[in-house]
């Protein structure tokens, strides 16, 4: 009897496992953000000295969890709207920064995590490797 009840319960929960991430968006919709972000990064690759700047911010997210953000793309895998995490790919590299040395752009892979304090205020972090 216990096995039958467990099997019935597991069958009833199967659609829950197949749901897309919790994005609070209707199925098949997309959302877009435009704004500004404070960026703190090393002055040069491998440098301990850091620089801060105000940078433009652009993001488009689809209801299935896929998003494009500035020069990166990722997949939100979390099931909550306030905590986000998942894989990330980006285009980046050291561009010219006053030295005249121009290095090419590289494909970077890694992950991201973000926490939304309010609906329009959050903290995000990414880790990328070439």
């Amino acid at each position: 009897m216990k096995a039958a009840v467990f099997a019935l319960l597991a069958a009833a929960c199967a659609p829950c496992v197949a749901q897309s991430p919790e994005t609070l968006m209707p199925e098949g919709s997309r959302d877009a953000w435009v704004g500004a972000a404070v960026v703190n990064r090393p002055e040069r690759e491998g440098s301990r000295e850091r620089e801060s700047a105000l940078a433009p911010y652009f993001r488009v997210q689809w209801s299935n969890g896929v998003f494009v953000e500035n020069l990166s793309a990722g997949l939100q895998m979390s099931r909550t709207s306030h905590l986000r995490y998942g894989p990330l790919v980006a285009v980046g590299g050291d561009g010219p920064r006053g030295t005249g040395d121009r290095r090419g752009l590289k494909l970077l892979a890694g992950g991201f995590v973000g926490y939304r304090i309010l609906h329009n205020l959050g903290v995000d972090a990414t880790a990328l490797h070439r």
Side-chain angles (χ1 to χ4, degrees):
M1 181 68 172
K2 286 183 182 180
V5 170
F6 180 73
L8 182 61
L9 184 61
C13 293
C16 297
V17 176
Q19 286 181 351
S20 63
E22 180 67 37
T23 59
L24 300 178
M25 298 171 61
E27 193 67 34
S29 65
R30 68 178 177 271
D31 205 356
W33 295 269
V34 176
V38 176
V39 179
N40 185 317
R41 63 182 179 193
E43 285 186 3
R44 299 176 299 288
E45 186 174 341
S47 172
R48 288 180 179 248
E49 296 163 14
R50 302 185 69 80
E51 64 181 358
S52 294
L54 189 62
Y57 178 80
F58 174 75
R59 178 183 172 102
V60 176
Q61 180 172 339
W62 289 267
S63 61
N64 62 359
V66 173
F67 65 88
V68 175
E69 182 175 329
N70 293 337
L71 294 177
S72 62
L75 174 63
Q76 179 178 326
M77 299 180 70
S78 63
R79 299 216 179 261
T80 62
S81 59
H82 65 282
L83 177 64
R84 304 178 314 110
Y85 57 87
L88 186 71
V89 293
V91 176
D94 273 354
R97 293 204 186 152
T99 62
D101 182 21
R102 179 174 288 233
R103 297 180 186 164
L105 296 177
K106 301 169 184 82
L107 184 61
L108 309 170
F112 71 95
V113 63
Y115 183 74
R116 294 285 164 238
I117 301 165
L118 300 171
H119 75 284
N120 60 351
L121 179 64
V123 177
D124 295 314
T126 59
L128 296 169
H129 190 291
R130 3 181 197 151

